[in-house]
Amino acid sequence: MSVPVYGYVALSGLLFLIGAIGVLVRRNVLVILMCVELMLNAANLALLAFGSAHQSLDGQVTVLMVMAVAAAEVAVGLALIVTLFRHQGATDVDEVSLLKG
Amino acid sequence: MLQYAWLVLVFPLAGVLINAFFGYRLGRRACGALATVAVALSFLWGVGILAGLLNLPAEAREVHLALWDWIVAADLHVGLSLLVDPLSVVMLLVVTGVGALIHLYSNGYMREDPDYARFFTYLNLFIVGMLLLVLADNFLLLYLGWEAVGLCSYLLIGFWYQKKSAADAGKKAFIVNRVGDFGFALGIMLIFATFGTLGFREVFERAPVTLQAGGAVATAITLLLFTGAIGKSAQIPLYVWLPDAMEGPTPVSALIHAATMVTAGVYMVARTHVLFALAPVSSAVVAAIGTLTAIYAATIALVQTDIKRVLAYSTISQLGYMFLAVGVGAYAAGIFHLTTHAFFKALLFLGAGSVIHALGGEQDMRRMGGLFSKLRVTGITFVVAWLAISGIPPLSGFFSKDEILAAAYHSGNVPLWLIGLITAGLTAFYMSRAVFLTFFGDSRVSHEAAHHLHESPPTMTVPLAVLAVLAAIAGLGASAFNGFLEPVFEGAHAAEAGGLPEAALIALSVLAAVVGIALAWLMYQRRAIAPERIGARVPSLHRLLYNAYYVDYGYQRLVVRPLHALAQWLARSFDLGVIDGIVNGVPALVSGMSRRLRGWQSGYVRRYALSLVFGVVIVTTVALVMVRTI
């Protein structure tokens, strides 16, 4: 017995929503970054589900690609966070509002 | 030799640079000597060029020297190129010869001025500009020299800029010249538009083909060029700057405002005679304005009391003669009068300068008199110049003036000749008046001035003596002079003789001179007719002449004041209201609008993220709806 494709898509949508809400409501940069990762993986899940439903490899290929980009993004993001922490001793994004008009 | 003609420019230019940067460090004597030697070397080099030119056959005496390209842009090619032909060499020798003498004279005259280096720098710069003007081989280079001498004229009129009248006179000269130069510039542009080139040779070669004789274009070009000449050579109606230019040091008046710069207009008309030959209307205008100016300025000179102003109006009048000559096609006669005038008018100015110097700055002839015995050299040389300008044979002025009057008569324009003849009488009268008031009769010199009375130093008297010799004998070279200039003006022959015989014309012009002198002698020497009584009988005429027909007053009323009022209005209302309004309004508008947009930039990351999410939701919804509908 196999899970129908809408189950994966629903889970993916739920994960994406959690991630998006996390990005919107949390103030800790680290958590925001993790939420972004969550959103990426939600998208990955949807891609895999559609890929297997259509018997196509394209979905898996794209997921591998997204994972590679995500790894790079995390490296850069973490470096930014470290710099930010050194610079102002906090990881609260609301502290970083120099671009306020 | 001829290909090194450009060296005449280099000597005074070196003088300018050295005196501008090291003049005060060199000291007074070295600075003046350097400037004088620079011009003298130019003169000697000019003599060499003359010799080189005379070695060539007469028809080959036209050497074009292209030194390098000055402006190259699309169709416009302007070279820094010189033209060496009899006309430019004559001008070159007059400028550097008289220039060198006046430089020498300045060594004495400016002996006590603290600003000697500035003076000699300007004076040398003037020589550079003037040489550029007369040697130029295209209209633009001529214009460059034209403006350079205008600048030097401005700088030297206002040399004693601490004096308000001098600074104002400098400005007046510059601004009035702007009017003429504007026309000149338009003329040059029209030439370029018509011929596609500015080179003299090309323009003059193509002119008879391109331009229709007597056509509108030819007339427009020549009239515009003549507008420039009116400004520079102080003709009606733009002559008003020249009398005021006497605020400058006297050597400047002699060099720039009598001998050389003011004759540039005559030179320019003579240089472009090919064009004027194609525009008989313009030539007639030139002759008419010249004649009118000649008699007009002569009548003003009758009653002036400032010796330099008499000479200034006399210069305007004599320039009118030269334009009369070139207007009736007697170009060689015009240039010949230009040359002799340079000698005797420079001499008159330098003599006047010597008198002013001796009297400690006095310029009013009513406080002179009886100076002949005290200032021997000045007196004798001044008398020579007086007889020369009056047209007494065999002095130079007689020959050149007679040539012009004869040419005017033979051109068939008897009224012009008659006015010229009357002007000759007036000239003799006012110059005699100046001589009698200054050098003869009883001394009216103030006690103080009489105490200091002394003949000028040799640096001043030597140039006087040299110029006196030239003013006396230059007329004897008339036929050689005309023969030398002949190839330049070929095809521009004045009409042949007819009517009164030559001898009668000569007799009439001598008669006019003698009558003028005799009348002045009766009035100012013998006092047989008291000039005051004549003045008292027609007081309004006297006032009219003394105030130069109130032309300055009229210009002040009709031109200067309305323009001034307009400028005031522009400054107060338009500039403050409209210009500043626009300048301040634009940023106010931008900042007002941006103040409203500023709220969007909260600086909170989640605010940005939220708008991102909203955006995605909207875009996705729209996309889905559209997919559905298709």
Side-chain angles (χ1 to χ4, degrees), chain A residues 10 23 33 40 43 70 78-79 84 91:
Chain A
V23 168
L33 194 65
L40 284 172
L78 282 175
L84 186 69
T91 50

Side-chain angles (χ1 to χ4, degrees), chain B residues 426-619:
Chain B
L426 293 175
T427 308
F429 176 81
Y430 68 69
M431 279 318 301
S432 311
R433 171 177 173 267
V435 169
F436 291 139
L437 284 177
T438 309
F439 287 102
F440 299 102
D442 303 325
S443 176
R444 298 176 299 279
V445 179
S446 69
H447 255 302
E448 245 179 295
H451 191 65
H452 297 130
L453 203 58
H454 59 279
E455 179 60 289
S456 303
T459 47
M460 288 165 72
T461 50
V462 168
L464 289 178
V466 176
L467 281 170
V469 171
L470 287 171
I473 64 164
L476 303 175
S479 60
F481 190 93
N482 289 347
F484 181 57
L485 282 178
E486 186 70 46
V488 181
F489 300 124
E490 60 187 340
H493 286 294
E496 280 312 304
L500 289 176
E502 202 72 29
L505 292 176
I506 294 175
L508 276 173
S509 64
V510 174
L511 185 69
V514 170
V515 167
I517 293 174
L519 199 59
W521 184 74
L522 282 175
M523 282 171 71
Y524 295 97
Q525 188 65 19
R526 282 289 304 275
R527 297 252 150 206
I529 315 162
E532 294 80 10
R533 279 235 306 278
I534 300 175
R537 194 162 298 170
V538 277
S540 55
L541 181 66
H542 183 265
R543 262 206 312 278
L544 187 69
L545 291 179
Y546 188 76
N547 291 305
Y549 296 96
Y550 294 102
V551 167
D552 260 324
Y553 180 75
Y555 279 161
Q556 191 71 25
R557 264 296 175 76
L558 293 174
V559 181
V560 177
R561 271 200 225 156
L563 283 177
H564 200 249
L566 179 68
Q568 287 277 357
W569 177 78
L570 284 176
R572 298 239 173 90
S573 318
F574 189 77
D575 196 64
L576 284 182
V578 179
I579 303 287
D580 282 10
I582 292 172
V583 168
N584 294 329
V586 170
L589 186 73
V590 170
S591 76
M593 273 162 44
S594 54
R595 192 170 300 126
R596 273 164 220 170
L597 288 173
R598 207 151 67 185
W600 292 81
Q601 304 292 328
S602 62
Y604 296 125
V605 175
R606 63 191 129 79
R607 197 65 83 71
Y608 301 135
L610 190 63
S611 26
L612 206 69
V613 170
F614 274 129
V616 169
V617 168
I618 291 167
V619 169

Side-chain angles (χ1 to χ4, degrees), chain B residues 34 48 97 168 193 203 236 266 274 301 309 427 453 465 491 523 544 602 616:
Chain B
L34 180 83
D168 286 347
V203 169
I236 291 173
V266 181
V274 178
R309 284 188 96 82
T427 308
L453 203 58
M523 282 171 71
L544 187 69
S602 62
V616 169

Side-chain angles (χ1 to χ4, degrees), chain B residues 360-381:
Chain B
E362 183 60 69
Q363 300 197 4
D364 194 330
M365 292 191 296
R366 287 170 299 192
R367 284 193 286 278
M368 294 180 183
L371 294 174
F372 192 79
S373 55
K374 312 273 186 6
L375 309 173
R376 259 294 144 78
V377 182
T378 309
I380 291 170
T381 53

Side-chain angles (χ1 to χ4, degrees), chain A residues 42-93:
Chain A
N44 282 348
L45 185 58
L47 286 168
L48 286 174
F50 288 131
S52 80
H54 286 95
Q55 294 294 306
S56 158
L57 276 176
D58 291 357
Q60 294 184 37
V61 171
T62 315
V63 167
L64 281 171
M65 172 86 165
V66 169
M67 284 162 76
V69 172
E73 177 243 308
V74 165
V76 175
L78 282 175
L80 282 173
I81 290 167
V82 169
T83 316
L84 186 69
F85 185 73
R86 282 203 192 139
H87 194 66
Q88 55 185 47
T91 50
D92 186 340
V93 283

